[in-house]
Structure formats: structure tokens, C-alpha cells
Amino acid sequence: MAEPTTRIVECDVLIVGGGMSGCGAAIEARYWAGDDLRIVMVDKAATDRSGAVGEGLSAINMYMGGRWGWNQPEDYVEYVRNDMMGVSREDLVYDIARHVDSSVHMFEEWGLPFWYDDNEQYVREGRWQVMIHGEAYKPIVSEATKKALGPDNHYERVFISHLFTDADDPNRIAGAIGFGVREDVIYVFKANAVVCGAGGATALFRPRSVGEGMGRTWYSIFDTGSVYGLIIPIGGEMTQMEHRFVPSRFKDSYGPVGAWSQLFRADLTNAAGENYFINRLPELKKYDPYGSAFPTPTPLRNHLLWTEIQAGNGPIQLKTPEAIEALAAGDPVRRREIIGEAWEDFLDMTISQAILWAAHNIAPEERPSEVVLAEPYIMGSHSGEAGAWVSGPEDVAPDGYHWGYSKMTTVSGLFAAGDGVGACPHKFSSGSFTEGRLAGKSAVAYALDHQTLPKADDRQIDRLKQQIWAPMVTFETNQYASTNPDVNPNYLSPRQGLFRLQKLMDEYVAGVSAGFTTNESTLLRGLELMGMFREDLQKLAARSRHELLRCHELIHRAWVGEAHLRHMLHRKETRWPGFYYRSDYPEMDEANWRVFVNSRYDPQQETWDVFTRPCPQVF
């Protein structure tokens, strides 16, 4: 086994993650930095295709359309408030909404092709969505990012496993450490300010597609919860980690249904061919005022679908043929155009959907497709709001919710964006990029204001280097204890550990097999099993750098899983039916629980503190 070498990189602002929020942070930070500051971005993959947008998209889901008078930022705040059943950081949502249009226009200037209607306006999929030809969306944004940074400040194929803090002040960021996934090198990045824009967590729960199809998930399989697994261990305050998103998607490929339901107006029906949504409308009254909101909040739409399945009225079918015929209105030319648009919707972003249709002999213009609820995902950028507790913008943040620099976490000099910011959902690609821009600008301001650089603790860095490489040493030391490297009494492979974590989360923390339902006793048992699992993570073994990457991704997922479990245990109500149900607290408790559930892990004491903060309505 080769011993890794160490490379030290010093910079003023370090950006962790090369997805949309990381790219936004890099471009904006470089713009404001001037000639005196060095801006560095680190990506565990190749930035051209990294992050959730790397596979492509067929629509930009957050756009106000201010230049055409479509919406105002306050409108978006109201939409998010209702969709989150009343719990969101309205100052953070507003801050993105008032800046997002400029980001979208930047994408078009860089070459992203948009759909235009006869009035020379963007084609709208819904109130907030505009259609794009988005297969090359991420490469276009990546090209602009790399041009802004320069090759010497852009590190690809380097996985950041830990953040580290100042030797004299454990609440000030000092940098990050990780390793090359294609070389035996440990990288130590020393920085004055850090923007954490890594991804949310997929494959934390046992996926509905297992075996050879276990990688067929809705959210990007390469998003492994690293943004949480980096911030939590150094003591950053987190918020809404109990919240998860359970997408309603085409079965087995988990392709999006948004274009069909919003652009093509296709109906969802039960086994009897009835529009079950209309039949079950009285159920929504239990959750007023949100049940009466328009559009119906995402968890409540899920709730109606799930109750229909539980009543034995499945499968749920999306009536694609009827939608196509209604839009074509007997025009064969228009019919062909709509069919082409439908296929492009998936070829732009979810090719597996097109493959599944072909494999199952389904032509969407002839046969409907089944829709199910997928496994849960923990995120802060789409319809989830888990993430770090960050400072809001000075001009609109409630009292106590602004502490000097917008988007800064409770760790001084550490900023977050995208999936990393909690209580600020529905950012999607354009909003995540915008939030990255805002964080990048703030990080530059912080670096300019703090001329005394943080002091790296060499002993701390040496300990982290040992932790990083420990799985390689564990395998090398113990590999001959058995004849089969997959069966060994002295270590755990990352694949085995992932299956164990997924089983725990699925069965005890309201996964698919548990009907998205849990209770206090179940959660407490899950917490006990999580403690045992975290002990066994000390015995992870890696046979290669690829498995070393998987080991540290698993460790990050474990941090996410424990935070999710502890937050869910603390919130004693069912605020988001359709995402999860507390069977011991089945009702929404608006009077007591329209609050943020926050937590902080104390790295010195190795203890958790879970508590609530007020949720004021700003707009």
C-alpha cells in the first residue's frame, strides 16, 4: 500500500463542491475579490457533470419573470410558506427570489437555450418554471466557472472529508482536508473563509430499486450528504433536519412528472379510472390553512396519493395519452410535436425513463404510466429544507437572525449554499446558483474584514490525515484473516455499511417499507442502533481509493441519518403528511410546533443539543 503524500494549498476563500451553488459562489467571489484574494474551488468529480444538475434538466424551476411582470419575490415567499406548511426562513427565501432572475439571464447569455413562445417570452411549465433545452446546462455553467477561476484554482477529483477550525478558536473555520480519488495524495486547504456547497443526501434510506437497480434514484446518486457531514461535526447549528422530500415520480425510473402534470395537464387516476385527488379533497381540510392553499402543498398531494394506495385503490396512473390528445386537438402535426417534447423532457434529464418506457413496451401517447412515492431524500434545495442555520440578509432578517454576514453559519467564516442552507427550500438549480453567488460575495467581505488569518493546528491536521487513510490501513492489516475479502471478522466494507444504514433508516425512521410511519419507541430503538453503527464505522476498510471515497461518503451519510432521527424524535406532531407520519402524534399542531427544530453537535463533549427557535412571518 502506497503511503499518501500531502499537498498544502493556501487561499483566501475556499469553495467546497462544484455543483450549481459552488459554481455560483466561485463566479461571484472571483468578481468581488479583486487581485489580492485567491479563490479556490474543490470538486470531488469533474465539474462539467457534477452535482444534481450534471445529468441535465428540462426546466428551470425558480424564475420570477420580473421583466414581464409575472411575479414578485413576495409571491414566491408566500408559495414556499404554504408548501412548507408554514415553516420556512422567509428572509432567506426572499433574498434568493429578488436576485434569481439575473442568474437565469446569465445562463442564457452563456449559451443555454430556452424555449420561447409566439410572444417572444419564455415558455412556462408552471407559475415559476420555464422550459429549457438543458442537456448541456451544467457544462455551460461549468465553463463559465472554470474561466473565472483559472486552472490553478480549480481542483477536480478531490474529495473533502473534513473541515477544521482555528487552533485558538474552535468556532472559527480554518480550512478543509480531503484526498485525491485518483492519486495517493491528501490535500490540506488552508483558508480564511469557506463556502460549503456540497450536496444533500441520497441513498440514505433503502431505495425502492434494489440489487442491480439500486443506483436508480430520483436525486443524484452522487449526492451523499457531504454538506451536512462536514458542517455538523465541527459544531455548526443545523435546522429542519427532520424534514425530508419524498418525490412522487414514475415508478422504477423516478423520472419527473412535472412536465406531464403542469405543462401537458395530465390527470392522475386510481384503479377505477377516477381522479382520486378530487375524491379526496375533504381530507385536505384537516390541514388548513395550508390544505386550502393553492397550489396544494407537496406533502399533502403525496398524502392523498398515499392514502389512496393504502385504501387498496392502486395502481396510480398518469394519463399521458389523454393529455396528448387533448393538447393536439386533432392536429396530427401538433401531436407529433407534443410527443417529441415529452421524450425530450426525459432525454434532457432522466434518460432512464426513456429506457424504461422502451423496455416495458410503453409509448406514452398510447399507454399511461404508473406513479409511486419514492424513498426519502434529505436536502435543502428542492422540496426539502434541511440544512445549516445561516445569517439572513440585514435588511429583511428578523431580530436575531442576522449576525454580520449573509449566509454565514454559526461557525465564524463558514458559509453555506444550496443543499447546505436550511429552512430555505424550492431553490432548485437557479436558486442554488443564486444562493452560491450571495454566499461567495459574503465570504469575500469576511476575508477582507479579517486580515488576521486563522491558525491551523498541525496536530489536528495530523489526526485528520490518519482518520482519512485509516480504512486503507485497516484493510491492509486485516485482509488475510479470511479467504474472502468480503467476509472478514475485523472490518466492515463500505457497501456492507451502506446496506446496514439503509435498513436502519428504512425500518425505524419512516422509510418506504414502514409506510413512511414511525413513533417515539421506534425512533428510540433506531437511535440505539445508530449508536452501534457509528461505533462500527471505526472498522471501515477500503481496498482502493474508490472504496476509500465510499467509506467517507458513508460516514457523512451517518451524520445526516443521526441528525434526521434526532430532529424527528424532537418534533412531536405530523406537520408534513405524505413525507412522514408520527403515529403517536398524528395531527399537525400549529399552536406549539410552527417553529424551527434546530440542533448543535458539540465536538468537544460529543453530545447533541436539539431545541426550537421561533418561526416569524416576515412578509
Side-chain angles (χ1 to χ4, degrees):
M1 178 182 66
E3 288 293 325
T5 59
T6 300
R7 294 181 190 169
I8 297 176
V9 179
E10 296 183 349
C11 59
D12 297 283
V13 176
L14 174 67
I15 297 155
V16 178
M20 290 297 286
S21 63
C23 287
I27 288 173
E28 196 73 13
R30 184 64 272 161
Y31 177 85
W32 293 101
D35 298 329
D36 298 328
L37 299 186
R38 185 183 182 190
I39 313 298
V40 168
M41 187 173 81
V42 186
D43 194 336
K44 77 172 180 182
T47 306
D48 282 0
R49 288 292 179 185
S50 65
V53 178
E55 300 167 51
L57 280 179
S58 62
I60 286 176
N61 291 322
M62 183 182 184
Y63 180 68
M64 300 301 106
R67 65 182 179 184
W68 291 308
W70 290 351
N71 299 290
Q72 296 299 318
E74 294 85 351
D75 300 326
Y76 203 74
V77 171
E78 181 181 11
Y79 158 63
V80 172
R81 178 196 304 136
N82 289 328
D83 203 70
M84 291 295 107
M85 309 287 280
V87 181
S88 64
R89 280 282 300 272
E90 297 186 4
D91 57 325
L92 301 180
V93 175
Y94 177 84
D95 200 24
I96 296 173
R98 63 180 171 180
H99 291 103
V100 70
D101 282 16
S102 65
S103 294
V104 174
H105 301 154
M106 288 168 67
F107 302 152
E108 187 169 28
E109 290 171 7
W110 295 338
L112 180 64
F114 284 68
W115 296 20
Y116 276 89
D117 62 19
D118 294 338
N119 296 320
E120 297 186 354
Q121 297 180 355
Y122 294 157
V123 172
R124 302 168 76 180
E125 182 183 50
R127 181 174 179 181
W128 315 104
Q129 299 87 8
V130 293
M131 300 297 293
I132 59 173
H133 300 281
E135 189 279 334
Y137 186 6
K138 186 65 197 308
I140 289 169
V141 174
S142 173
E143 181 182 20
T145 304
K146 291 188 287 188
K147 182 178 179 181
L149 286 172
D152 294 338
N153 299 314
H154 181 217
Y155 291 79
E156 294 182 303
R157 308 292 184 186
V158 175
F159 178 75
I160 297 299
S161 57
H162 301 79
L163 300 176
F164 59 87
T165 54
D166 184 273
D168 300 322
D169 181 0
N171 198 52
R172 182 181 178 184
I173 198 69
I177 186 170
F179 58 94
V181 300
R182 293 186 175 178
E183 55 185 352
D184 293 325
V185 178
I186 290 179
Y187 286 84
V188 179
F189 294 91
K190 298 180 180 181
N192 198 351
V194 175
V195 178
C196 204
T202 190
L204 174 62
F205 288 78
R206 182 161 50 195
R208 295 192 70 132
S209 294
V210 297
E212 75 282 356
M214 68 173 294
R216 192 182 302 126
T217 58
W218 165 74
Y219 203 44
S220 173
I221 192 64
F222 308 109
D223 281 342
T224 57
S226 289
V227 72
Y228 313 123
L230 292 170
I231 296 174
I232 294 172
I234 64 167
E237 185 174 332
M238 308 300 290
T239 188
Q240 294 302 98
M241 291 300 293
E242 75 277 19
H243 195 271
R244 84 270 284 271
F245 176 44
V246 176
S248 170
R249 295 295 185 264
F250 285 118
K251 187 175 184 294
D252 294 330
S253 68
Y254 307 107
V257 299
W260 283 104
S261 60
Q262 295 189 77
L263 185 65
F264 299 150
R265 306 300 181 189
D267 286 333
L268 280 168
T269 59
N270 60 17
E274 303 167 335
N275 187 324
Y276 69 87
F277 194 95
I278 295 175
N279 293 345
R280 291 190 174 271
L281 280 177
E283 178 73 15
L284 298 180
K285 290 296 182 182
K286 298 178 183 178
Y287 301 98
D288 277 341
Y290 313 110
S292 298
F294 182 81
T296 301
T298 306
L300 293 183
R301 296 200 303 271
N302 278 14
H303 175 59
L304 298 189
L305 187 153
W306 183 242
T307 53
E308 190 74 2
I309 292 174
Q310 292 297 94
N313 297 329
I316 304 302
Q317 303 270 5
L318 190 67
K319 296 294 186 177
T320 52
E322 290 85 343
I324 289 174
E325 296 303 329
L327 285 172
D331 184 343
V333 175
R334 179 58 184 148
R335 185 175 186 273
R336 286 194 298 271
E337 290 176 351
I338 295 168
I339 293 171
E341 291 170 356
W343 280 94
E344 182 184 347
D345 183 51
F346 296 107
L347 294 175
D348 270 349
M349 60 187 297
T350 312
I351 295 174
S352 60
Q353 182 64 52
I355 294 172
L356 190 77
W357 274 341
H360 288 185
N361 295 324
I362 293 175
E365 67 272 21
E366 298 174 2
R367 292 180 57 189
S369 292
E370 189 174 351
V371 172
V372 297
L373 300 182
E375 67 277 359
Y377 301 88
I378 312 299
M379 59 176 57
S381 60
H382 198 280
S383 297
E385 59 174 337
W389 186 250
V390 303
S391 175
E394 184 176 11
D395 59 333
V396 295
D399 289 343
Y401 288 20
H402 169 78
W403 49 89
Y405 299 89
S406 180
K407 309 299 176 288
M408 189 169 76
T409 70
T410 56
V411 177
S412 182
L414 175 61
F415 299 79
D419 278 330
V421 172
C424 182
H426 290 292
K427 293 178 285 239
F428 306 102
S429 63
S430 56
S432 294
F433 182 88
T434 303
E435 192 168 53
R437 291 176 62 194
L438 296 168
K441 181 178 180 180
S442 291
V444 168
Y446 179 93
L448 291 172
D449 290 344
H450 294 75
Q451 296 297 316
T452 302
L453 301 180
K455 179 182 177 183
D457 185 340
D458 291 337
R459 291 174 299 178
Q460 181 186 15
I461 291 174
D462 287 342
R463 286 195 300 270
L464 292 176
K465 287 166 63 175
Q466 291 178 0
Q467 290 178 27
I468 287 171
W469 211 249
M472 300 285 275
V473 175
T474 298
F475 178 77
E476 184 74 14
T477 304
N478 297 288
Q479 61 177 315
Y480 299 113
S482 65
T483 56
N484 184 343
D486 292 326
V487 182
N488 192 293
N490 300 315
Y491 63 68
L492 181 73
S493 77
R495 186 178 180 87
Q496 292 165 339
L498 180 62
F499 289 161
R500 181 172 158 187
L501 177 61
Q502 289 177 341
K503 176 179 170 63
L504 189 165
M505 298 297 295
D506 180 61
E507 295 179 359
Y508 293 91
V509 200
V512 174
S513 73
F516 306 107
T517 302
T518 189
N519 58 33
E520 183 171 338
S521 296
T522 303
L523 289 168
L524 288 172
R525 176 57 177 159
L527 192 59
E528 183 182 10
L529 293 171
M530 182 67 75
M532 299 178 193
F533 175 68
R534 290 184 64 81
E535 288 180 7
D536 288 346
L537 289 178
Q538 305 302 315
K539 300 178 182 179
L540 280 173
R543 292 172 287 189
S544 62
R545 286 187 300 272
H546 176 76
E547 285 199 350
L548 183 65
L549 171 67
R550 297 294 179 237
C551 286
H552 288 286
E553 288 178 336
L554 177 61
I555 292 169
H556 286 174
R557 281 190 173 106
W559 282 109
V560 183
E562 183 166 357
H564 185 55
L565 198 162
R566 289 180 180 275
H567 276 237
M568 190 181 292
L569 184 60
H570 191 81
R571 182 179 284 278
K572 293 175 171 54
E573 65 163 351
T574 295
R575 178 160 294 266
W576 302 286
F579 288 173
Y580 76 85
Y581 301 86
R582 281 287 303 261
S583 60
D584 46 352
Y585 297 98
E587 307 298 330
M588 182 180 69
D589 185 351
E590 186 79 347
N592 298 304
W593 285 100
R594 199 179 71 82
V595 293
F596 299 112
V597 175
N598 286 19
S599 67
R600 181 182 179 273
Y601 175 77
D602 187 328
Q604 278 71 46
Q605 302 297 321
E606 298 184 350
T607 56
W608 290 80
D609 183 22
V610 185
F611 50 93
T612 62
R613 291 196 183 276
C615 179
Q617 182 170 325
V618 181
F619 294 92

